[in-house]
Protein backbone atom coordinates (compact mmCIF):
# COMPACT_ATOMS: atom_id res chain seq x y z
CA UNK A 1 0.00 0.00 0.00
CA UNK A 2 1.20 3.49 -0.78
CA UNK A 3 -0.30 6.79 0.40
CA UNK A 4 0.15 10.16 -1.30
CA UNK A 5 0.41 13.12 1.05
CA UNK A 6 -0.26 16.57 -0.37
CA UNK A 7 2.92 18.45 0.47
CA UNK A 8 2.56 21.92 -1.01
CA UNK A 9 2.25 23.57 2.42
CA UNK A 10 1.52 22.71 6.04
CA UNK A 11 1.96 19.75 8.40
CA UNK A 12 2.64 16.92 5.95
CA UNK A 13 5.79 15.41 7.51
CA UNK A 14 3.91 14.46 10.68
CA UNK A 15 1.43 12.41 8.63
CA UNK A 16 4.28 10.48 6.99
CA UNK A 17 5.63 9.69 10.48
CA UNK A 18 2.22 8.41 11.58
CA UNK A 19 2.02 6.14 8.55
CA UNK A 20 5.55 4.89 9.23
CA UNK A 21 4.37 3.82 12.69
CA UNK A 22 1.67 1.78 10.99
CA UNK A 23 4.22 0.34 8.54
CA UNK A 24 2.56 2.01 5.59
CA UNK A 25 4.66 3.68 2.92
CA UNK A 26 3.94 7.16 1.65
CA UNK A 27 5.30 9.83 -0.65
CA UNK A 28 4.92 13.57 -0.97
CA UNK A 29 2.77 15.11 -3.66
CA UNK A 30 4.54 18.35 -4.52
CA UNK A 31 3.86 18.70 -8.22
CA UNK A 32 1.39 17.54 -10.83
CA UNK A 33 3.64 14.69 -12.04
CA UNK A 34 3.60 13.15 -8.57
CA UNK A 35 -0.08 12.39 -9.18
CA UNK A 36 0.94 9.96 -11.93
CA UNK A 37 2.30 7.58 -9.31
CA UNK A 38 0.21 4.68 -8.05
CA UNK A 39 -1.35 5.38 -4.70
CA UNK A 40 -4.16 3.88 -2.68
CA UNK A 41 -5.08 6.82 -0.51
CA UNK A 42 -4.60 10.56 -0.15
CA UNK A 43 -3.91 12.74 2.88
CA UNK A 44 -4.69 16.46 2.84
CA UNK A 45 -2.81 17.94 5.81
CA UNK A 46 -3.42 20.95 8.04
CA UNK A 47 -1.88 24.29 7.30
CA UNK A 48 -3.39 27.26 5.58
CA UNK A 49 -6.30 26.37 3.33
CA UNK A 50 -6.22 29.59 1.29
CA UNK A 51 -2.57 28.98 0.40
CA UNK A 52 -3.10 25.29 -0.27
CA UNK A 53 -6.16 25.99 -2.42
CA UNK A 54 -4.21 28.54 -4.43
CA UNK A 55 -1.21 26.24 -4.86
CA UNK A 56 -3.15 23.19 -6.02
CA UNK A 57 -4.73 25.37 -8.71
CA UNK A 58 -1.47 27.02 -9.76
CA UNK A 59 0.36 23.69 -9.86
CA UNK A 60 -2.34 22.16 -12.06
CA UNK A 61 -3.41 19.58 -9.49
CA UNK A 62 -6.93 20.79 -8.82
CA UNK A 63 -8.86 18.83 -11.46
CA UNK A 64 -6.93 15.61 -10.95
CA UNK A 65 -7.33 15.67 -7.18
CA UNK A 66 -11.03 16.48 -7.41
CA UNK A 67 -11.79 13.73 -9.90
CA UNK A 68 -9.68 11.13 -8.05
CA UNK A 69 -11.53 11.89 -4.80
CA UNK A 70 -14.91 11.90 -6.55
CA UNK A 71 -14.15 8.55 -8.13
CA UNK A 72 -13.51 6.98 -4.74
CA UNK A 73 -9.88 7.50 -3.71
CA UNK A 74 -9.82 7.11 0.11
CA UNK A 75 -8.99 10.53 1.52
CA UNK A 76 -8.08 11.71 5.00
CA UNK A 77 -8.35 15.47 5.43
CA UNK A 78 -7.23 17.23 8.58
CA UNK A 79 -7.98 20.82 9.56
CA UNK A 80 -7.07 22.95 6.50
CA UNK A 81 -7.54 19.74 4.51
CA UNK A 82 -11.12 19.52 5.73
CA UNK A 83 -11.64 23.10 4.53
CA UNK A 84 -10.24 22.09 1.10
CA UNK A 85 -12.80 19.28 0.85
CA UNK A 86 -15.84 21.24 2.05
CA UNK A 87 -18.51 22.08 -0.46
CA UNK A 88 -19.13 25.38 1.35
CA UNK A 89 -17.08 27.61 3.61
CA UNK A 90 -19.36 29.79 5.75
CA UNK A 91 -16.92 32.66 6.11
CA UNK A 92 -15.16 32.52 2.76
CA UNK A 93 -16.46 33.25 -0.71
CA UNK A 94 -14.49 30.53 -2.51
CA UNK A 95 -14.60 26.82 -1.85
CA UNK A 96 -11.89 24.47 -3.08
CA UNK A 97 -12.22 20.78 -3.99
CA UNK A 98 -15.84 20.79 -2.81
CA UNK A 99 -16.22 17.00 -2.70
CA UNK A 100 -17.63 16.77 0.82
CA UNK A 101 -21.23 17.98 1.31
CA UNK A 102 -20.69 20.03 4.46
CA UNK A 103 -20.42 23.69 5.36
CA UNK A 104 -17.37 24.48 7.47
CA UNK A 105 -16.54 27.60 9.38
CA UNK A 106 -12.86 28.59 9.30
CA UNK A 107 -10.95 29.76 12.39
CA UNK A 108 -14.18 28.98 14.11
CA UNK A 109 -13.16 29.05 17.76
CA UNK A 110 -12.22 32.70 18.00
CA UNK A 111 -9.04 34.10 19.47
CA UNK A 112 -9.11 32.81 23.00
CA UNK A 113 -9.73 29.24 21.95
CA UNK A 114 -7.48 29.46 18.92
CA UNK A 115 -5.67 26.32 20.03
CA UNK A 116 -6.70 23.68 22.53
CA UNK A 117 -6.39 20.03 23.35
CA UNK A 118 -9.10 17.61 24.38
CA UNK A 119 -10.01 13.96 24.16
CA UNK A 120 -13.29 12.78 22.78
CA UNK A 121 -14.90 9.87 21.04
CA UNK A 122 -14.63 9.29 17.33
CA UNK A 123 -17.19 6.84 16.02
CA UNK A 124 -16.90 3.82 18.31
CA UNK A 125 -13.43 4.81 19.53
CA UNK A 126 -13.20 6.53 22.89
CA UNK A 127 -10.63 8.92 24.30
CA UNK A 128 -9.12 9.97 21.01
CA UNK A 129 -6.64 12.82 21.61
CA UNK A 130 -7.52 15.91 19.60
CA UNK A 131 -5.29 18.94 19.07
CA UNK A 132 -7.08 21.94 17.59
CA UNK A 133 -5.06 24.75 16.02
CA UNK A 134 -7.05 27.67 14.64
CA UNK A 135 -9.44 24.95 13.64
CA UNK A 136 -12.60 24.93 11.61
CA UNK A 137 -15.73 23.05 12.61
CA UNK A 138 -18.55 21.66 10.55
CA UNK A 139 -21.61 23.92 10.77
CA UNK A 140 -23.97 21.81 8.72
CA UNK A 141 -23.69 18.46 7.01
CA UNK A 142 -25.88 16.82 4.41
CA UNK A 143 -27.93 13.91 5.83
CA UNK A 144 -25.76 11.28 4.14
CA UNK A 145 -22.65 12.50 5.95
CA UNK A 146 -21.83 10.40 9.00
CA UNK A 147 -21.06 12.47 12.10
CA UNK A 148 -18.07 10.81 13.78
CA UNK A 149 -17.22 13.28 16.50
CA UNK A 150 -18.77 16.23 18.33
CA UNK A 151 -16.85 18.42 20.79
CA UNK A 152 -18.66 21.17 22.72
CA UNK A 153 -21.72 20.79 20.49
CA UNK A 154 -19.64 21.32 17.35
CA UNK A 155 -19.08 18.68 14.70
CA UNK A 156 -15.32 18.03 14.42
CA UNK A 157 -15.21 14.72 12.57
CA UNK A 158 -17.17 13.40 9.60
CA UNK A 159 -17.13 10.51 7.18
CA UNK A 160 -18.72 10.52 3.76
CA UNK A 161 -18.17 7.60 1.38
CA UNK A 162 -14.38 7.50 0.87
CA UNK A 163 -13.67 10.76 2.71
CA UNK A 164 -12.78 11.25 6.38
CA UNK A 165 -12.58 14.88 7.51
CA UNK A 166 -11.40 16.04 10.92
CA UNK A 167 -11.09 19.56 12.31
CA UNK A 168 -8.20 18.59 14.59
CA UNK A 169 -4.64 17.32 14.04
CA UNK A 170 -4.48 13.56 14.67
CA UNK A 171 -0.89 13.50 13.38
CA UNK A 172 0.33 15.55 16.36
CA UNK A 173 -0.39 12.88 18.97
CA UNK A 174 0.81 9.31 19.40
CA UNK A 175 -2.64 7.83 18.97
CA UNK A 176 -3.06 6.15 15.60
CA UNK A 177 -6.86 5.65 15.66
CA UNK A 178 -7.70 8.08 12.87
CA UNK A 179 -4.86 6.99 10.58
CA UNK A 180 -5.70 3.34 11.20
CA UNK A 181 -9.33 4.00 10.25
CA UNK A 182 -8.14 5.68 7.06
CA UNK A 183 -5.78 2.81 6.23
CA UNK A 184 -8.65 0.36 6.73
CA UNK A 185 -10.58 2.39 4.16
CA UNK A 186 -7.66 2.08 1.73
N1 LIG B 1 -6.89 28.21 10.07
C1 LIG B 1 -6.45 27.40 8.99
C2 LIG B 1 -7.24 27.66 7.72
O1 LIG B 1 -8.23 28.33 7.77
C3 LIG B 1 -6.51 25.94 9.33
C4 LIG B 1 -5.61 25.68 10.51
C5 LIG B 1 -4.95 24.35 10.51
O2 LIG B 1 -4.88 23.62 9.51
N2 LIG B 1 -4.36 24.05 11.64
O3 LIG B 1 -6.87 27.21 6.70
Amino acid sequence: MNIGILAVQGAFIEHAKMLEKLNVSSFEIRKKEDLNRDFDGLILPGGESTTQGKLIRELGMYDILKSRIESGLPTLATCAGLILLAENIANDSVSHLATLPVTVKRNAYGRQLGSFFTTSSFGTHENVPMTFIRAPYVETASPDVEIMSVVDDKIVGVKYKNQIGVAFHPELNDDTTIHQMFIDLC
Side-chain angles (χ1 to χ4, degrees), residues 78-147:
T78 63
C79 205
L82 168 64
I83 299 170
L84 284 192
L85 288 189
E87 234 165 57
N88 296 295
I89 304 171
N91 46 352
D92 216 329
S93 51
V94 270
S95 53
H96 302 287
L97 294 165
T99 54
L100 179 65
V102 298
T103 297
V104 296
K105 186 172 179 197
R106 289 183 63 195
N107 301 324
Y109 291 92
R111 264 199 202 175
Q112 300 226 314
L113 276 179
S115 301
F116 63 99
F117 173 82
T118 190
T119 56
S120 190
S121 58
F122 194 93
T124 56
H125 302 269
E126 286 182 14
N127 293 316
V128 176
M130 301 182 178
T131 301
F132 292 81
I133 303 171
R134 290 181 54 76
Y137 58 67
V138 174
E139 264 190 357
T140 57
S142 118
D144 41 358
V145 172
E146 206 180 326
I147 309 300

Side-chain angles (χ1 to χ4, degrees), residues 31-47:
K31 49 186 192 318
K32 192 180 178 183
E33 291 68 41
D34 296 330
L35 293 168
N36 296 332
R37 293 180 63 164
D38 274 339
F39 55 109
D40 311 288
L42 171 70
I43 293 183
L44 303 176

Side-chain angles (χ1 to χ4, degrees), residues 167-184:
F168 53 93
H169 283 265
E171 77 285 8
L172 297 182
N173 299 99
D174 283 339
D175 185 277
T176 53
T177 305
I178 306 294
H179 288 79
Q180 185 61 58
M181 191 178 287
F182 165 62
I183 292 306
D184 293 345

